[in-house]
Amino acid sequence: MVQSLFADNGSSNKFDRIVADLMETGLSVCDDFVSPLLVSSMALEARELQQSGAFRHARIGRGVSMQLRPEIRNDRIYWLDTESPTAIQQPYLLDLETLRQYINRNLFLGLFEYEGHFALYPPGASYDIHYDRFIGALERVVTCILYLNDNWQVEDGGALNIHQGHDASTLPLPMQILPQGGRLITFISEQFPHEVLPATRDRLSLTGWFRIRA
C-alpha cells in the first residue's frame, strides 16, 4: 500500500500521487514504493558489492574540482550501470522510468535519463547540508532516494533533514524523514537543501537523479 506523508489527493496510483506532491510542494514521500522482497534483494546485492570491495569513498564537487572531504561527507557509494542493470535492479529502474514519464507529462521538465548509486553510511557517518544540483550545472533536476533498511526505528537516527531553500515552501521545514525500507523520497533538486544525520547502525539507500540535457 502506498502512503503519502502529505494530503491524500485521491490519485489512482503511486506515480500520480508523487507527481501531485511535486506539483503542490516540490517534495513527495511515498512509503512502500517497492515490495519488501525487492528492498531486501537490493540491500543484499549492495552488501555483497560492499564486501567485494566495489564501494568507494564518496567525494564532493564534480569534474576537476571533485575532492575527498570526509569532514563534510563520509559515506561509501557504488554507481549503477543503468544501461546494463542487474536482474535485481531492473524492476526498480522500470518503475523509475514510469515515474519519469509521469513527471514529464505533468511537469514538462524534459527529463531524459536517470543516474544513481548505492550509498552506505556506516554508524556515525553523515553528509552536511547541501543541494543536489551543482553550482553551474543544470543536469540534475529531480532527486529520488529509495531506502533499503530493515525495521528502522526512531532511535536509530540517520534521518534525512530537509531545510528551507531559497524559495519559501508551504511545508513545515525543517523536516526529518526516517530512512525506512521501501520509502521513496522525490524532490526538485534545486529547491531543498538537505543533510544526512548520523545513525547508530548502517544506513543504506539507492540515491539518484533524473537529468536533463543541459
Side-chain angles (χ1 to χ4, degrees):
M1 177 181 179
V2 177
Q3 299 175 339
S4 173
L5 294 191
F6 305 109
D8 184 353
N9 50 52
S11 298
S12 60
N13 61 45
K14 61 188 178 184
F15 305 108
D16 283 329
R17 295 187 67 174
I18 291 170
V19 167
D21 284 340
L22 290 178
M23 293 176 69
E24 182 178 353
T25 66
L27 171 69
S28 178
V29 181
C30 177
D31 286 344
D32 305 316
F33 183 77
V34 298
S35 69
L37 177 59
L38 185 53
V39 170
S40 61
S41 297
M42 288 197 291
L44 178 60
E45 181 179 65
R47 291 286 185 188
E48 290 173 345
L49 287 166
Q50 188 256 343
Q51 290 169 7
S52 72
F55 275 63
R56 297 290 181 265
H57 288 279
R59 299 171 183 267
I60 64 169
R62 67 186 185 101
V64 295
S65 65
M66 189 176 293
Q67 54 186 314
L68 193 64
R69 295 286 301 276
E71 74 278 12
I72 295 175
R73 177 183 186 182
N74 50 8
D75 58 318
R76 282 77 161 157
I77 63 173
Y78 173 84
W79 285 97
L80 303 188
D81 180 357
T82 56
E83 295 297 318
S84 301
T86 67
I88 290 173
Q89 298 163 13
Q90 193 167 19
Y92 175 59
L93 293 180
L94 287 173
D95 263 356
L96 285 185
E97 174 59 18
T98 301
L99 178 58
R100 183 188 70 83
Q101 294 175 15
Y102 268 72
I103 294 173
N104 278 345
R105 277 201 301 269
N106 291 276
L107 277 71
F108 310 105
L109 293 181
L111 309 175
F112 83 99
E113 71 173 5
Y114 169 83
E115 64 174 1
H117 59 65
F118 287 121
L120 175 64
Y121 287 79
S126 62
Y127 191 172
D128 286 356
I129 299 175
H130 64 283
Y131 284 94
D132 279 351
R133 178 177 274 191
F134 297 120
I135 296 175
L138 304 178
E139 292 88 354
R140 292 178 176 176
V141 176
V142 177
T143 298
C144 302
I145 307 170
L146 179 71
Y147 292 115
L148 305 175
N149 307 297
D150 179 52
N151 193 30
W152 198 272
Q153 303 297 316
V154 173
E155 56 267 25
D156 295 326
L160 182 72
N161 195 19
I162 299 178
H163 295 265
Q164 190 73 254
H166 303 303
D167 299 322
S169 171
T170 58
L171 295 170
L173 301 175
M175 174 190 298
Q176 293 191 10
I177 305 171
L178 290 178
Q180 295 177 358
R183 173 172 285 171
L184 180 74
I185 301 178
T186 311
F187 60 87
I188 304 302
S189 302
E190 68 176 356
Q191 192 168 339
F192 297 101
H194 54 283
E195 62 182 319
V196 176
L197 302 179
T200 59
R201 52 182 280 205
D202 283 352
R203 178 190 189 277
L204 186 61
S205 67
L206 208 170
T207 298
W209 303 268
F210 289 127
R211 294 161 48 92
I212 61 171
R213 292 182 175 92

